[in-house]
Amino acid sequence: MASEKNTIMGWVDRRLPVTENLERHLTKHPVPKKVNFFYLFGALLMVVFMIQVVTGIWLMMFYTNTEEGAFASVEYIMRDVEYGWLMRYMHSTGASAFFFLMYFHMFRGLLYGSYQKPKELVWLFGCFLLFLLMAEGFLGYVLPWGQMSYWAANVILSLFGAIPFIGPDLQVWIQGDFVLSGITLSRFFALHVVVVPLLMIALVVFHIFALHEVGAGNPEGVDIEKYRDKKGMPLDGAPFHPYKTFGALPAIGIFFIVFFAIVFFAPTGGGYFIEKPNFEEANFLKTPEHIAPVWYYAPFYSILRAVTFGIPFLGITSKFLGFIIFAASIAILFVVPWLDRSNVQSIRYKGMYSKIAMILFAASFITLGYLGTKPVNELRTIIAQICTVFYFAPFILMPIYTKYEKTLEVPDRL
Amino acid sequence: MSKNKQGKKHIHILDGMSLYKRDKSPFYWGYLNVGGEIYKKSLKTRDKREAEKFLFEWKSKLLLDKSLNKLNGNLEMDVLKNPVVNNTRRKALMITSSLMGAVTVAGFAVPFLSAWNPSERAKALGASVKFDLSKLEPGAMAVVEWRRTPIFVVHQTPKALENLPKLNNRVTDPVLSEGVARSTNEKFTVLKGVCTHLSCAPKYHPEIEPKAWDEQWLGGFFCPCHGSKFDLAGRVYKGVPAPTNLEVPPHTFEGDTLIIGELT
Ligand code: HEM
Ligand code: FES
């Protein structure tokens, strides 16, 4: 036992069980010996999270959270602060990377049934993290107080105003003013730099502890706990260190290469990471010609726009219905563990319908994302409406097709 | 070497302490007799020296646990000797203290939540503004700022006034009662430049020509955010995201002067 050792670490361990917990949760934690690249995104998400925290703290040292000062302080960071541009572009590119990795991380979950019993809580904490990340990204985008910051925030805040009865008051309460103003900006700053990140850190801890309690999955959906060696270690497992740590290093290396290539050569991502109008200061009398969200919100924005009709006899306006369906497109992810009735986990052993559903879902998500960045016209609206149906159908019909489709036999061992 | 009842070989260490091996296990097992109670377990090591060490540690831990238990036991006994438990009172205490706790939390929440309401300074920004209409050409629109909201003032052309009734069945709510230009003044329409969908400022497009969003465009407002269409009187077209007509803010005309906002 490490705590018996007559070393500094031993001294610490007798007072705070550092080594024991490190071994249990990190170095000696058994993980499936065979997984694929989809299983690297969790580690990369942690890396990006750290980039965001560190660059964010540095940006905070130069940023001014007032209506008069915000835009100018961002220009100051970009022009006068040494390496300020690097901090800012790392932070904005980091936001895009965060979503990119998050979407793949979640898609892995959908493909390999990683949300299934007993990993429901892992998935739920993950869904909360997605929600918080979306909030965090939105709050952060308001801070530079550019044209797009202002008008995008205006649209999103008006969504709250669309809630019947309490909506208008709720919107004023969130804004702290009758219109979106500097008052809103300062509170968004507090939420963006303190409240949401703290919640996210707590949730990441829960996410990982819950995962370690029930054990990580694998692309085959094989339960590795079934066969163990004499010490009780799974035969198809391997200790996290050095097997997974060294496996993740090349991935982190490749990630950094791509990440910094974007930071140095295409930090605005052609207007998809930071939009052109956001290099102009907010003007509350003039909406930019074409309002488009950054790419990572585009699919959800498309869903919002696709709802051009209400339910008049229930008193539901198109605006409120849009809000409901927009919210449902995220909310439905939370219940996926209870929609899947399949007796196998992985898509590799599921039937035809599951495969078709996954393809439909992915295709409609990407199409919605594309449409969300384009101006509306009649044809695009119709396509977006069809895609919205295909976004929801794989989930809504899941209890039926996963129960009745024919699945393949899952092997015993990895 | 001695033998226990199962016939396993024991290595004697001290009185009531020994090590032994079991058939299928590669490890040393420990046997302890502490105050007449027997304990056995695998020491999870193949090394005899280490096994001895673990056995001693185990024994001291058991002894410590035992003395702690005794202590706890005595404490428990004190309570149990006088079993004057009044469950009704206990329950009442639980309920009142939870209630008081809830009230305290709610009480503390009030200032924190109220701090988010518009401050007195924000509320004071509601004064009315004046605008000189004489310089506004027919067909032109001015944007006046009132309460940090854009107010659209449109000088309608005769052509526009002629076209507006033609749109009565293309708009959701023709509001015929409000008059052709939805205004008390024949020529000027005053609208809040806030899209009733999600609050973007719609664009003024008075031209009568086919547009990307409408083949038969007769002039009006187009919202760039989600494509809502309004006619020149701010009436919303059917089949667009915005549910209602552009709002008409409180306003009065005094000769050539337009006053936007409540008269004080
Ligand atoms: C801040 C964001 C997040 C971080 C830092 C994070 C981190 C991680 C890490 C390190 C792992 C283990 C390695 C791996 O399987 O990739 C993991 C597993 C997992 N995550 Fe996340 N995650 C995040 C967000 C999410 C989201 C949004 C979801 C889905 C809604 C999610 C669902 C899962 C699931 C189901 C697993 C278990 C996979 C399995 O073992 O089969 N995570 N996460
Ligand atoms: S805000 Fe005008 S159409 Fe949505």
Side-chain angles (χ1 to χ4, degrees), chain A residues 41-60:
Chain A
F41 289 103
L44 293 178
L45 278 167
M46 300 260 228
V47 172
V48 176
F49 201 164
M50 281 187 262
I51 294 180
Q52 293 307 83
V53 169
V54 175
T55 54
I57 292 174
W58 255 255
L59 287 174
M60 235 174 105

Side-chain angles (χ1 to χ4, degrees), chain B residues 66-79:
Chain B
K66 260 185 136 45
S67 56
L68 281 178
N69 275 342
K70 225 182 205 164
L71 218 62
N72 287 340
N74 283 342
L75 282 175
E76 250 174 288
M77 287 304 291
D78 272 352
V79 178

Side-chain angles (χ1 to χ4, degrees), chain A residues 38-43 45-46 49 98 102 105-106 108-109 114-115 119 122-130 200 204 207-208 211 215-218 333:
Chain A
F38 265 122
Y39 284 76
L40 290 165
F41 289 103
L45 278 167
M46 300 260 228
F49 201 164
F98 215 144
M102 192 86 125
H105 189 65
M106 294 179 70
R108 180 280 313 266
S114 316
Y115 47 77
K119 283 196 289 263
V122 181
W123 177 262
L124 274 189
F125 291 139
C127 288
F128 277 116
L129 276 167
L130 172 71
M200 285 184 76
V204 171
H207 190 64
I208 302 298
L211 178 65
N218 52 71
L333 297 169

Side-chain angles (χ1 to χ4, degrees), chain A residues 155 301, chain B residues 195-202 223-230 241-242:
Chain A
V155 167
Y301 183 71
Chain B
C195 179
T196 52
H197 180 226
L198 295 170
S199 307
C200 285
C223 183
C225 294
H226 319 93
S228 287
K229 300 183 282 183
F230 305 87

Side-chain angles (χ1 to χ4, degrees), chain B:
Chain B
M1 297 255 168
S2 61
K3 281 194 172 184
N4 71 359
K5 280 184 201 122
Q6 285 95 45
K8 299 210 173 74
K9 283 183 187 128
H10 273 234
I11 306 163
H12 183 77
I13 309 285
L14 276 178
D15 269 356
M17 282 177 88
S18 52
L19 294 174
Y20 65 97
K21 285 275 213 171
R22 283 172 51 154
D23 295 342
K24 291 214 181 75
S25 164
F27 299 134
Y28 278 103
W29 285 60
Y31 168 93
L32 283 177
N33 179 338
V34 184
E37 281 173 52
I38 308 293
Y39 300 88
K40 290 177 196 167
K41 78 166 182 191
S42 163
L43 297 171
K44 297 256 171 76
T45 173
R46 300 163 205 250
D47 184 76
K48 190 166 153 244
R49 281 263 193 99
E50 213 174 23
E52 266 177 50
K53 188 172 140 235
F54 289 167
L55 192 65
F56 276 103
E57 276 171 10
W58 186 29
K59 182 166 179 189
S60 47
K61 188 167 177 290
L62 281 174
L63 283 171
L64 188 70
D65 284 356
K66 260 185 136 45
S67 56
L68 281 178
N69 275 342
K70 225 182 205 164
L71 218 62
N72 287 340
N74 283 342
L75 282 175
E76 250 174 288
M77 287 304 291
D78 272 352
V79 178
L80 291 176
K81 264 184 231 151
N82 316 300
V84 276
V85 178
N86 182 334
N87 273 323
T88 328
R89 251 172 76 180
R90 205 175 252 185
K91 215 171 177 178
L93 267 172
M94 284 289 283
I95 292 173
T96 42
S97 52
S98 331
L99 277 179
M100 278 163 65
V103 170
T104 314
V105 169
F108 270 108
V110 169
F112 285 93
L113 296 180
S114 309
W116 271 36
N117 279 328
S119 60
E120 287 308 319
R121 187 152 29 120
K123 283 183 204 155
L125 277 170
S128 54
V129 293
K130 288 191 176 144
F131 177 71
D132 179 8
L133 292 167
S134 60
K135 294 197 185 79
L136 196 61
E137 300 285 326
M141 180 189 82
V143 181
V144 184
E145 181 191 338
W146 172 66
R147 285 190 167 185
R148 302 204 37 162
T149 315
I151 303 296
F152 295 164
V153 185
V154 184
H155 191 164
Q156 305 285 13
T157 58
K159 184 85 187 150
L161 292 172
E162 200 180 295
N163 278 336
L164 279 171
K166 292 185 196 156
L167 292 168
N168 283 353
N169 49 13
R170 290 194 62 197
V171 297
T172 309
D173 179 10
V175 283
L176 299 173
S177 60
E178 287 182 12
V180 179
R182 294 182 68 208
S183 173
T184 48
N185 183 304
E186 274 300 290
K187 282 188 250 155
F188 297 98
T189 301
V190 183
L191 300 166
K192 252 194 193 175
V194 178
C195 179
T196 52
H197 180 226
L198 295 170
S199 307
C200 285
K203 302 271 170 202
Y204 182 52
H205 287 284
E207 323 75 52
I208 302 173
E209 62 187 30
K211 294 281 186 188
W213 58 82
D214 197 334
E215 293 285 303
Q216 296 139 24
W217 188 244
L218 291 180
F221 298 89
F222 178 73
C223 183
C225 294
H226 319 93
S228 287
K229 300 183 282 183
F230 305 87
D231 69 8
L232 283 168
R235 299 181 301 175
V236 67
Y237 276 70
K238 286 178 185 155
V240 297
T244 52
N245 297 338
L246 291 181
E247 262 179 70
V248 178
H251 66 276
T252 34
F253 295 95
E254 275 181 9
D256 266 349
T257 308
L258 166 69
I259 302 165
I260 303 166
E262 317 285 349
L263 288 176
T264 42

Side-chain angles (χ1 to χ4, degrees), chain A residues 1 4 67 145 150-151 154-156 158-159 162 171-183 187 191 230-231 284-291 301 304-305 307-309 317-319 376-378, chain B residues 24 26-27 46 53-54 57 112-119 122-123 125 143-145 147-152 196-203 205 212-213 222 224-227 229 239-243:
Chain A
M1 285 263 257
E4 264 102 57
E67 191 175 1
W145 210 239
Y150 186 86
W151 289 100
N154 210 355
V155 167
I156 300 299
S158 303
L159 281 180
Q171 186 185 346
V172 168
W173 182 75
I174 296 174
Q175 284 172 179
D177 203 338
F178 302 98
V179 287
L180 175 55
S181 75
I183 300 172
R187 69 181 52 172
L191 294 176
K230 291 204 181 85
K231 283 187 181 160
F284 53 87
L285 295 180
K286 188 171 149 267
T287 308
E289 267 318 315
H290 167 48
I291 283 228
Y301 183 71
L304 175 74
R305 270 201 315 201
V307 183
T308 51
F309 45 84
T317 57
S318 59
K319 169 167 144 180
V376 275
N377 63 25
E378 249 164 72
Chain B
K24 291 214 181 75
F27 299 134
R46 300 163 205 250
K53 188 172 140 235
F54 289 167
E57 276 171 10
F112 285 93
L113 296 180
S114 309
W116 271 36
N117 279 328
S119 60
K123 283 183 204 155
L125 277 170
V143 181
V144 184
E145 181 191 338
R147 285 190 167 185
R148 302 204 37 162
T149 315
I151 303 296
F152 295 164
T196 52
H197 180 226
L198 295 170
S199 307
C200 285
K203 302 271 170 202
H205 287 284
W213 58 82
F222 178 73
C225 294
H226 319 93
K229 300 183 282 183
V240 297

